[in-house]
Structures are given as structure tokens and as C-alpha cells.
Amino acid sequence: MKLKIEFEELRRGVSALNKANKGKTNVLVKMKAEKDNLILASTDAVAVKIAIPANVTEEGEFVTAFSDLNIVSIRKCIGECSICSTENNTVLIKYKGGMAKTVLKEVDDSFIDFPEPSDGAQKISLPMATLKDIAKTTVFATEDNPSSNLHSLKMDIVDDEDGLIKLVVTACDGKSLAVRTAYAAKNGNYTGSVLLLPESVKVAIDVIADAEDDVNITVDKDKVFMQQDGRVVSLRILDRQFPDMVGLLNKRKETTFQAELSKQELSDSLNCALYLQNAQKRTGFESSVVLSFANECISIGCINTACFNENIKAEITGDVPSRMYFNTALLKEVISVYPMDTLKLSGTNERSPLWLCSGDNDEYIFCVLPRTSNRN
């Protein structure tokens, strides 16, 4: 292979690959000079392919250790660099006007090629900002245990009215639930459901995060492809059974009280409670925060801690429980991704889920299960 390429473009491409392979060893990367592009591909847990515009004078391909190529990502310089194969199974990268170089050694290990979607695979497109927000407001609620069926994001895509598609992403860890609904112009013909690893979705968004235009999403057999501006990420579809959340979601219709209060005020109070609990090394039920309901305020406190209590003004309607107990860190995390400055809470009693919903069509639905003395 022989080509010339802007060093900054090469650095950005290698940096994007690094987001998928950070902290991993023995990862291979294929460099392929083809037509007007240098194509970089790695196919570890999350497969990534990046096309970078280049002046190619001799096509070819080369497999090397990503750890060797990654030195490019920490070097900043401007101008053009040259990349060419040599006679001793190496590739030479020259930059800084030829005053600096990096030599890559060829690796004989077999490289698994980047998968390609089949002809006729079904596609949709979503704004990049929407995709980022979906990940932000759902990934936190997935189960940490990788072997659990709940260690996944469920993505449902259905046709909606007026030429729109409705995308519903659901995450649940058994203690909290997050459901994010988004609408977008229909630009394809896919409808259906898939399960994806939450960490893979985060990596995919990190890799293509520089883009501002719509992201093309292709669903094909056992993989989902996300593509934008020459960057493509392949995600494996999980073969798991995600629990049916319809019964839990229907409980929203049974709520008997509502409360509106400042998101910032509650977040600040939870920060104080969490600080005290950590300082006192509280664990289990003793690390719960207590929400007590009264006329026009909600009181925030800690179990067996008389030194801390804060009242927050609230508009409360309906039959409220005297108090509810929650995992402090979990409630704080849910509130942190709530999209509005005024929280809207609803529930039934001290043992029922606490709901936090927002949007004219409930685009954001969050649920936190309360604690009891025998639930940690």
C-alpha cells in the first residue's frame, strides 16, 4: 500500500478505534488502502470500521497490533503524512514533514473481517442527539451482572402516525426501570425488537459521537449496524428473554398521589444524605434515604441520623404515604437524568413504585422501587 493522508484525520480515526478497544490487549487492526480511502477496522467485542479520505497511489492491506498503531492517537501535529509498505513486512508512517516516523510490524494472526449487512437489510435513521439522549437516560438502569437477562437494552421500533417511527428503549435492573420513547421521520422499513448489550451501545455512540447528522441504523439477522460519516459500528443482537414490563407499567394508572418539586433541591438534599451515609459507612437498609410527605413539603432524612433533615417545598395532591425509603444513590442517579427542572412524582403507598414521568406523550418514564426493612 502507498498513500498520503492528513495526519489529523488519521489521528481522529485511530482515536475513534481506541474508544472501542481501550484497556484491551492483543487487539488487531486491519489497514486497507482502497480507492480514495484508508480503511481502519477492528473486530473485537464491538466491531468498528472507519473510512478516512486519502490520496491512494497503491492499494493494499496490512494487519498489525492496534497497540502499535495507537501511538498516532497521542501525537498531535499538522500537515500531510505518508504511509507505505516496505519490503520487510512492515508499514512506515512518516509525519512532521518526514522528521518523525512510526514503523508497524505485520501480524500473522488471522483477522476476522468486519461483517457487512446483507442486501435488503432493513434500515431506519435517527438524529445523533436523540441517540445520545436515549443512551444517557436508559443505560444506567441495566443490570450489572453480564449473565443476567436484564443486562441488556430492549429496543422496539414500530410505525407511528404521519410517517413517523416510534422508538421505545427499555432498561430494568430489578430495582429501577427506564423507558425512553423517541419519534423520528421514517427513513426505512424496519419494525421489530432487538436486545443489545448496554456497554456496546455506549461504545458505538462514543465512536460516532463527533457526527451531528442522522445515524443510519441497519438491522440484519444477528447484528445491528450504526453508521455515520464513514464510521460504522457492528453490535451483536443478544439471544435472551427480556421480561415483559407491561404489568409494571400498568401500575402507573393506579397511582393515588402526585407531587411536584424542584429537581435541583432534591438532588442537593440527596447529595448531603449520601455524604453522611458514606462517612458513617452505612450499608443495606441503614443506607436508605427517607422521604416524608406533609402539607406542601417533602422532608428528606436518613435513618437513625438526627443531624440531617431538609424540607423541600412541593405541590402535593392525593393520598400520600407517611414516608418512603429508597436507595439513596439509585434515587439520585434517576433524578440526574430526569429531563426537566421540576420533578413530577407519583405513587400509591410506601411499598409501591415511585414514578417519575415527563413529556406530553410520556417520552420519559422512570420507576424506582422503594425499600422495606427486609429489602436491600
Side-chain angles (χ1 to χ4, degrees):
M1 75 169 68
K2 188 175 183 180
L3 60 98
K4 290 185 177 181
I5 189 171
E6 288 295 323
F7 186 87
E8 178 59 19
E9 291 296 317
L10 177 63
R11 189 193 69 80
R12 290 178 65 241
V14 174
S15 296
L17 278 185
N18 188 41
K19 293 175 180 177
N21 299 307
K22 189 175 294 184
K24 299 176 183 177
T25 58
N26 302 321
V27 175
L28 301 180
V29 59
K30 175 180 279 190
M31 306 172 63
K32 186 174 184 179
E34 183 179 63
K35 298 180 180 178
D36 297 325
N37 290 295
L38 172 65
I39 299 172
L40 306 178
S42 67
T43 53
D44 201 60
V46 178
V48 179
K49 182 173 71 173
I50 298 174
I52 308 170
N55 181 12
V56 177
T57 54
E58 184 178 321
E59 295 188 344
E61 58 183 52
F62 183 84
V63 176
T64 190
F66 178 71
S67 57
D68 292 343
L69 177 63
N70 194 38
I71 193 173
V72 172
S73 70
I74 62 174
R75 186 68 171 92
K76 291 186 178 181
C77 68
I78 59 174
E80 200 173 57
C81 72
S82 63
I83 302 176
C84 66
S85 302
T86 65
E87 296 180 354
N88 55 348
N89 297 325
T90 63
V91 159
L92 178 63
I93 304 177
K94 286 187 176 182
Y95 46 98
K96 286 189 66 179
M99 297 179 65
K101 68 178 181 180
T102 293
V103 179
L104 305 176
K105 296 180 180 179
E106 186 174 28
V107 176
D108 293 332
D109 294 354
S110 59
F111 181 84
I112 301 174
D113 284 328
F114 187 88
E116 299 291 343
S118 59
D119 294 338
Q122 308 199 56
K123 303 177 181 180
I124 63 168
S125 64
L126 288 172
M128 185 70 226
T130 300
L131 197 59
K132 286 182 179 179
D133 186 66
I134 287 172
K136 173 185 174 182
T137 53
T138 58
V139 169
F140 78 92
T142 56
E143 166 63 52
D144 292 334
N145 182 0
S147 63
S148 169
N149 285 343
L150 292 175
H151 185 71
S152 55
L153 286 176
K154 184 171 185 280
M155 183 182 296
D156 295 298
I157 302 172
V158 298
D159 284 323
D160 201 64
E161 300 175 352
D162 301 324
L164 298 177
I165 59 165
K166 180 179 179 181
L167 173 66
V168 182
V169 178
T170 304
C172 180
D173 60 2
K175 299 176 183 178
S176 63
L177 170 72
V179 182
R180 174 71 168 91
T181 300
Y183 299 87
K186 188 173 183 180
N187 185 22
N189 53 2
Y190 177 77
T191 57
S193 300
V194 296
L195 293 179
L196 300 172
L197 284 172
E199 59 268 30
S200 296
V201 173
K202 289 178 66 176
V203 166
I205 292 174
D206 284 344
V207 168
I208 60 179
D210 293 342
E212 295 182 358
D213 296 334
D214 287 1
V215 178
N216 295 315
I217 300 175
T218 303
V219 182
D220 184 35
K221 299 176 182 176
D222 61 344
K223 293 181 175 60
V224 169
F225 297 86
M226 296 185 182
Q227 180 175 4
Q228 217 292 332
D229 281 352
R231 299 185 180 188
V232 189
V233 182
S234 172
L235 310 177
R236 178 172 57 91
I237 296 175
L238 301 176
D239 183 17
R240 291 178 175 175
Q241 294 295 321
F242 194 85
D244 188 351
M245 296 296 167
V246 173
L248 178 57
L249 287 168
N250 283 339
K251 290 185 179 295
R252 287 190 306 135
K253 303 173 184 177
E254 303 171 2
T255 58
T256 58
F257 75 87
Q258 294 79 38
E260 294 188 14
L261 67 158
S262 165
K263 170 183 172 178
Q264 188 63 55
E265 291 256 358
L266 182 55
S267 180
D268 290 345
S269 293
L270 292 175
N271 279 334
C272 293
L274 195 59
Y275 169 80
L276 289 172
Q277 291 166 350
N278 289 336
Q280 296 173 8
K281 298 181 180 181
R282 297 291 187 92
T283 60
F285 184 73
E286 293 294 312
S287 66
S288 302
V289 66
V290 187
L291 271 64
S292 301
F293 298 84
N295 291 331
E296 299 183 350
C297 77
I298 296 178
S299 176
I300 312 298
C302 298
I303 295 177
N304 298 329
T305 304
C307 63
F308 172 73
N309 184 269
E310 293 191 4
N311 293 324
I312 302 173
K313 290 182 179 180
E315 295 183 11
I316 302 173
T317 58
D319 297 325
V320 296
S322 59
R323 63 189 60 187
M324 298 180 78
Y325 300 88
F326 293 96
N327 178 314
T328 311
L330 177 59
L331 184 58
K332 178 177 177 292
E333 189 168 30
V334 172
I335 289 171
S336 71
V337 299
Y338 190 83
M340 306 300 289
D341 293 333
T342 299
L343 287 168
K344 294 184 178 182
L345 312 180
S346 61
T348 306
N349 55 50
E350 67 277 1
R351 294 177 178 270
S352 70
L354 182 69
W355 297 93
L356 301 86
C357 304
S358 179
D360 293 336
N361 297 297
D362 284 341
E363 284 86 353
Y364 299 84
I365 298 175
F366 303 105
C367 167
V368 185
L369 295 184
R371 281 176 159 178
T372 62
S373 58
N374 60 1
R375 182 194 290 132
N376 294 330

